[in-house]
Amino acid sequence: MTTQATQQPQELPRRSESGMHTRAINSAAGVLLAAMEQGRQTPTGLAIALDAACLLNSPEHAARIAALEADREANDREYEQATARIAELEAEREKLVRWHSEDTKTINRLVARVERRQADLIALRNDALAVRGSLAPADGPRAVPFQLGETLAPAVDWLIARVAELKARLAEYERPADEDPITFTLTPAAEQLAETGGAE
């Protein structure tokens, strides 16, 4: 015998029991209303509107999408910060290149100056050695009556004084006879000759 079970209509669960989210339902209703106002009446058209609004995703999928979006925004911020840092580093690099170029020019000038001074010092040293060889030759008499020290200044001072002394002595020899303070005494015969004008 067949028993027919009496089917009673299933009651819709209350909002607290179904776990429905009022905000999600209101969002879906708003999307559906906007789609219907745009002329979409078929279930497919309405489902497309819900999908375009990302309302067909599960809560887990939606949370994953939100996390990915947050990661994307964080990556964008990091990219912007990295781009700004790269620009700063590039500016620092250009500054360092300019400084390096200026430093290189300065170093080259200083090196050239040092080389010129070294050449001058070598020339002066060679001159000093030549003067020492002239003042105190190894195979001849000394030009100064003392040993040469580390410097040539004492020998030069002695030579200057010696030259002045010789010039003064030479001036004595070259003085005219009328400037000589020697007094002359005439003999009587010379006096008589002077008085007569040299006539006999």
Side-chain angles (χ1 to χ4, degrees), residues 7 32 34 43-44 75 80 93 98 126 145 148 161 170 182 189 195:
Q7 294 183 353
L32 292 174
T44 303
N75 290 335
E80 291 175 0
R93 188 190 67 81
R98 287 196 303 270
N126 291 337
L148 296 177
L170 182 60
I182 301 175
E195 289 175 359

Side-chain angles (χ1 to χ4, degrees), residues 151-168:
T151 64
L152 296 174
V156 172
D157 292 341
W158 184 88
L159 288 172
I160 291 172
R162 182 65 175 155
V163 168
E165 178 187 347
L166 293 174
K167 282 184 177 180

Side-chain angles (χ1 to χ4, degrees), residues 1-163:
M1 175 171 85
T2 347
T3 306
Q4 292 184 347
T6 307
Q7 294 183 353
Q8 295 182 355
Q10 186 178 358
E11 294 182 2
L12 292 175
R14 287 183 303 216
R15 188 165 295 183
S16 58
E17 295 173 349
S18 67
M20 288 188 295
H21 300 285
T22 305
R23 182 177 298 174
I25 290 174
N26 289 337
S27 298
V31 170
L32 292 174
L33 178 62
M36 293 171 67
E37 288 175 352
Q38 293 174 0
R40 293 182 179 178
Q41 301 296 328
T42 64
T44 303
L46 295 175
I48 291 172
L50 290 173
D51 184 58
C54 298
L55 295 177
L56 296 180
N57 298 331
S58 65
E60 294 78 10
H61 186 266
R64 179 63 180 157
I65 294 296
L68 291 174
E69 183 65 22
D71 289 343
R72 186 188 65 80
E73 292 177 358
N75 290 335
D76 288 345
R77 286 193 299 270
E78 290 179 2
Y79 176 78
E80 291 175 0
Q81 293 172 357
T83 303
R85 182 58 180 159
I86 289 171
E88 292 176 3
L89 293 174
E90 182 63 22
E92 289 292 330
R93 188 190 67 81
E94 292 178 359
K95 186 187 299 183
L96 290 174
V97 167
R98 287 196 303 270
W99 286 353
H100 175 70
S101 176
E102 294 171 1
D103 289 345
T104 301
K105 292 177 183 177
T106 302
I107 289 171
N108 290 338
R109 285 197 301 269
L110 292 175
V111 168
R113 185 183 304 172
V114 168
E115 289 176 350
R116 287 194 302 270
R117 290 187 177 177
Q118 286 178 342
D120 292 342
L121 288 174
I122 290 172
L124 290 173
R125 183 175 180 275
N126 291 337
D127 287 345
L129 290 174
V131 170
R132 282 179 177 275
S134 299
L135 294 177
D139 55 351
R142 292 177 174 278
V144 291
F146 51 82
Q147 294 287 338
L148 296 177
E150 293 183 0
T151 64
L152 296 174
V156 172
D157 292 341
W158 184 88
L159 288 172
I160 291 172
R162 182 65 175 155
V163 168

